[in-house]
Amino acid sequence: MENLTYAGFALERSSELRLQHDEVQRLKDQDNLVILPVCNGKNLFNNSNNTYVAISLSEARDLNLFDEEMIFLGFDGKVPYFAANIFKEDQISGLNIHWEFKSLHSIINLITFTQASILAYARGMSIWHSNSVFCGKCGMRTESDEEGHIRKCISLECSKKIFPRIDPAVITLVEHPSEESCLLGRQANWPFGMYSVIAGFLEIGESLEECVKREVEEETGIIVNRVLYQGSQPWPFPSSLMLGFAAKAENFQFSPKDNELEKIMWVSRKGLKEFTEMEDIDSDKKLPSKHSIARTLIDSWVKREIKFL
Ligand SMILES: [Zn+2]
């Protein structure tokens, strides 16, 4: 699976520099550096030219940003990229009338594939910092270290290190035993008319394949076999990694064990043609966003690219 939105990371991460503080400090003095502000999970966007805003060195200095809220992201060629955690939107958006902090979902159709992957990384790291200011072991404050890639408890007795959190979730296209339809469902709190394939979070002590089987059975009563990995997608909303699978159903009658899905159905390739894009607000049959791995799985199945051999 290629060209999944938020994947295709465009920067060289240069992770060895995370332990070379003096070197990274020197990068912060470079005139060409790019600083991507993030505030409450929203990225800074320029409404006049539909691209992200990278603030300048002088703007960053005026805002006193060269403190622990800076996260070293990597390089594009010789240009160093940083994310900056901003606490108040008006700290920056007041600098230019076209600048506005916006959710990545709301601008995803306006920005390039490369920009999406970089903004997703900046957003994910920023949210992790905001959610990790206290130590989960002793309750003391934590501070950023290794150029924003770990946080450390300030208690000398504890000194617990906290690493960026990623929550693995499986997402599975299930094919009917007859091969002529696939399984879609919808949760009551999703946008009107939206359907998708079956997803759920990995639990401790579970393999990915076991998770696929459990989630599909819990939500639909369908037993699956031939669980085949298809690809993965970073999904920083706020911190998931989506692991895409295809699986073959052994039965076809629904008997869900939980109430996670309000509707479940088998849909043929012909039936899928009646489904619309998410932008068609009034439609009661919508496919998931084309930026999601769920949609890529469905499209691949329609094109018979998924093989269950
Ligand atoms: Zn601690």
Side-chain angles (χ1 to χ4, degrees), residues 99-293:
W99 292 3
E100 186 181 354
F101 281 100
K102 288 187 158 179
S103 75
L104 199 43
H105 278 315
S106 72
I107 59 174
I108 192 62
N109 288 324
L110 303 173
I111 59 178
T112 66
F113 184 73
T114 299
Q115 288 183 341
S117 75
I118 295 172
L119 291 185
Y121 184 31
R123 173 185 202 279
M125 290 299 289
S126 169
I127 291 174
W128 169 69
H129 276 277
S130 300
N131 289 343
S132 309
V133 290
F134 294 104
C135 174
K137 187 176 177 189
C138 77
M140 290 285 279
R141 287 193 74 84
T142 63
E143 60 186 9
S144 179
D145 200 359
E146 298 187 13
E147 307 310 324
H149 288 268
I150 69 162
R151 293 189 70 89
K152 225 181 199 172
C153 178
I154 60 169
S155 159
L156 294 177
E157 283 171 35
C158 178
S159 298
K160 181 178 168 60
K161 286 182 176 179
I162 303 162
F163 296 89
R165 174 177 171 149
I166 300 170
D167 301 317
V170 299
I171 183 155
T172 309
L173 181 128
V174 179
E175 186 179 72
H176 190 277
S178 73
E179 302 178 9
E180 291 310 313
S181 55
C182 71
L183 185 58
L184 297 184
R186 67 163 272 113
Q187 291 182 15
N189 61 352
W190 285 355
F192 173 73
M194 176 188 158
Y195 286 80
S196 189
V197 293
I198 310 301
F201 285 104
L202 183 71
E203 295 193 349
I204 290 175
E206 191 172 50
S207 73
L208 293 171
E209 292 81 359
E210 288 162 353
C211 181
V212 166
K213 291 181 179 182
R214 175 181 57 77
E215 285 289 348
V216 174
E217 187 179 0
E218 281 177 2
E219 294 181 18
T220 67
I222 300 298
I223 309 293
V224 294
N225 58 35
R226 280 187 275 173
V227 177
L228 300 170
Y229 176 70
Q230 302 294 314
S232 64
Q233 179 186 36
W235 193 252
F237 304 101
S239 54
S240 295
L241 174 69
M242 306 305 292
L243 296 138
F245 287 85
K248 192 83 184 167
E250 291 185 358
N251 56 331
F252 55 86
Q253 284 188 324
F254 302 130
S255 55
K257 292 181 175 176
D258 61 24
N259 295 318
E260 192 163 326
L261 299 176
E262 66 164 6
K263 285 185 183 168
I264 316 166
M265 57 184 173
W266 293 108
V267 186
S268 66
R269 288 180 175 82
K270 191 177 167 195
L272 279 169
K273 289 181 180 163
E274 295 170 16
F275 280 66
T276 66
E277 297 294 336
M278 287 294 289
E279 288 76 12
D280 189 351
I281 304 283
D282 296 330
S283 166
D284 63 355
K285 284 183 180 173
K286 300 188 191 82
L287 290 173
S289 159
K290 59 182 183 291
H291 297 289
S292 65
I293 192 171

Side-chain angles (χ1 to χ4, degrees), residues 8 18 36-37 43 52 74 76 78 94 147 176 208 231 243 286:
R18 296 172 194 169
L36 302 171
N43 298 92
Y52 62 61
D76 177 8
K78 293 189 174 175
E147 307 310 324
H176 190 277
L208 293 171
L243 296 138
K286 300 188 191 82

